[in-house]
Amino acid sequence: MIVKTAVITGFGINADRELEKAFSLAGSDAVRIHIQDFIESTALIQNYHILAFPGGFSFGDHLGSGLVFAHLFRKNLKTELEKFINSGKLIIGICNGFQVLVKTGVLPNFNGDWTPEVSLIHNNAGVFENSWLKVSFNKNSKCIWTKDLDEMDIPIRHGEGRFVTLSDTILEKIEKENLVAVRYFDRNPNGSVNNIAGITDTTGRIFGLMPHPEAFIYPENHPRWTSEKITEGEGVKIFRNGINYIKENF
C-alpha cells in the first residue's frame, strides 16, 4: 500500500523539506501541506496516514515556542485531529513540532481533553544548543516509532528544549506507564527532567522528541562518518517504523 504522510508547514518552519525527504527515503509518499490549507479544508487531514510536525521557529516563537501553531490547531482543527487520532493513525512532532504537540495538549493527554500537562521551556544554560549527542531508547516503551531501537547518535538544535511537567504526579505517571520513549544518554543538553528527550502517548502512536532524526538520513550527515565507517543514516529507522506500522495495520 501507499503510505501517505503530510508534513505540516507554515510561517517560520524550516525543517519541513528535511522531514519530507526523510519520510520519502523511508518509503512514504510524503508531501508538504501548509497549515492554512488544513484550516481552509479541515477534512483534508483524513486523506493521510501520518501527520508530521517539523522543526523550526513557527511564527517566530514570539509568544513561546510552538504556542501560536498549537493555538491554530486547537481552535480550527481539534475535531478533525481527534477523528484522525481515534482512527488509529500516527503523529510525530520533532523539536518545534514536539513543542506544538505538548502545547496543543495532544501529548500526553492523560485527561483526554487536550489540557497541556507538560512543556518545553528555555534550556538551563540559557543558550541555543546545536550539537550531536547520543540518545537511548526505552525498550519497554509503547512507542511504535522507536520499536527495536537501542542507541543513536543524533543532532539537536534548540533553545527551548527543557522538558518539564505540570506536577510530580504527571511525571510519575509518564515514567510508570513507560511513556518516555527516548532519553539523553551521554549528556543532558538542556536540563530536561529525568533526561527526557521524547515521549509518546498511551497508545504509542503519537511521538514527540527534541532531537532531529530527519537530520541523520545519510551517512554523510554524521560528523564522524568516515572515521567510524557509518553506512546508514540511522534516523531513517524511526520513520521506517512508522511506515511499517501503517502497512501492517491499514
Side-chain angles (χ1 to χ4, degrees):
M1 67 173 291
I2 298 175
V3 178
K4 296 184 177 181
T5 299
V7 177
I8 304 171
T9 188
F11 300 109
I13 297 296
N14 63 17
D16 49 321
R17 291 186 183 276
E18 286 177 292
L19 192 52
E20 179 188 28
K21 186 64 175 180
F23 272 105
S24 296
L25 284 176
S28 175
D29 178 10
V31 294
R32 293 180 299 120
I33 306 289
H34 199 283
I35 185 174
Q36 194 61 40
D37 292 333
F38 281 130
I39 291 173
E40 292 175 359
S41 180
T42 57
L44 181 63
I45 285 180
Q46 310 308 330
N47 292 345
Y48 299 92
H49 301 101
I50 300 172
L51 294 182
F53 292 78
F57 304 89
S58 57
F59 294 90
D61 286 346
H62 294 311
L63 301 180
S65 58
L67 192 59
V68 175
F69 218 74
H71 174 73
L72 289 175
F73 263 85
R74 286 178 64 92
K75 180 181 179 181
N76 300 285
L77 296 160
K78 184 176 181 179
T79 300
E80 288 295 335
L81 194 56
E82 285 180 329
K83 180 179 177 182
F84 181 92
I85 294 169
N86 292 336
S87 69
K89 296 178 180 179
L90 304 182
I91 297 177
I92 186 171
I94 300 169
C95 198
N96 196 235
F98 186 16
Q99 294 160 346
V100 170
L101 292 181
V102 301
K103 293 178 182 180
T104 302
V106 300
L107 191 63
N109 197 22
F110 287 130
N111 292 330
D113 60 359
W114 288 32
T115 298
E117 297 154 319
V118 306
S119 192
L120 293 148
I121 63 176
H122 287 284
N123 300 343
N124 263 355
V127 297
F128 186 89
E129 286 279 350
N130 183 9
S131 60
W132 281 72
L133 45 66
K134 187 179 291 295
V135 298
S136 62
F137 298 96
N138 179 5
K139 294 182 179 180
N140 296 317
S141 172
K142 303 174 182 180
C143 186
I144 64 94
W145 296 91
T146 59
K147 181 182 177 182
D148 297 329
L149 298 182
D150 184 19
E151 296 178 358
M152 185 182 295
D153 289 338
I154 197 167
I156 58 166
R157 45 196 190 207
H158 58 251
E160 297 179 52
R162 181 186 171 196
F163 183 87
V164 295
T165 61
L166 188 63
S167 68
D168 289 341
T169 301
I170 290 173
L171 178 60
E172 290 170 5
K173 192 169 185 178
I174 288 172
E175 292 285 5
K176 183 179 180 179
E177 297 192 16
N178 273 311
L179 302 188
V180 178
V182 56
R183 299 183 198 268
Y184 300 110
F185 183 73
D186 55 357
R187 67 182 182 90
N188 186 329
N190 46 46
S192 289
V193 63
N194 292 5
N195 298 320
I196 294 173
I199 64 170
T200 186
D201 73 328
T202 56
T203 71
R205 293 183 285 106
I206 303 175
F207 179 39
L209 72 165
M210 286 308 298
H212 285 267
E214 83 286 4
F216 187 18
I217 57 176
Y218 297 110
E220 294 84 357
N221 291 140
H222 197 287
R224 300 185 301 277
W225 74 277
T226 51
S227 61
E228 296 185 8
K229 296 180 173 56
I230 294 171
T231 59
E232 180 184 23
E234 290 193 333
V236 175
K237 296 176 181 177
I238 291 176
F239 307 107
R240 191 177 295 139
N241 273 341
I243 292 166
N244 288 341
Y245 177 88
I246 294 295
K247 289 180 177 179
E248 292 167 3
N249 290 277
F250 281 80

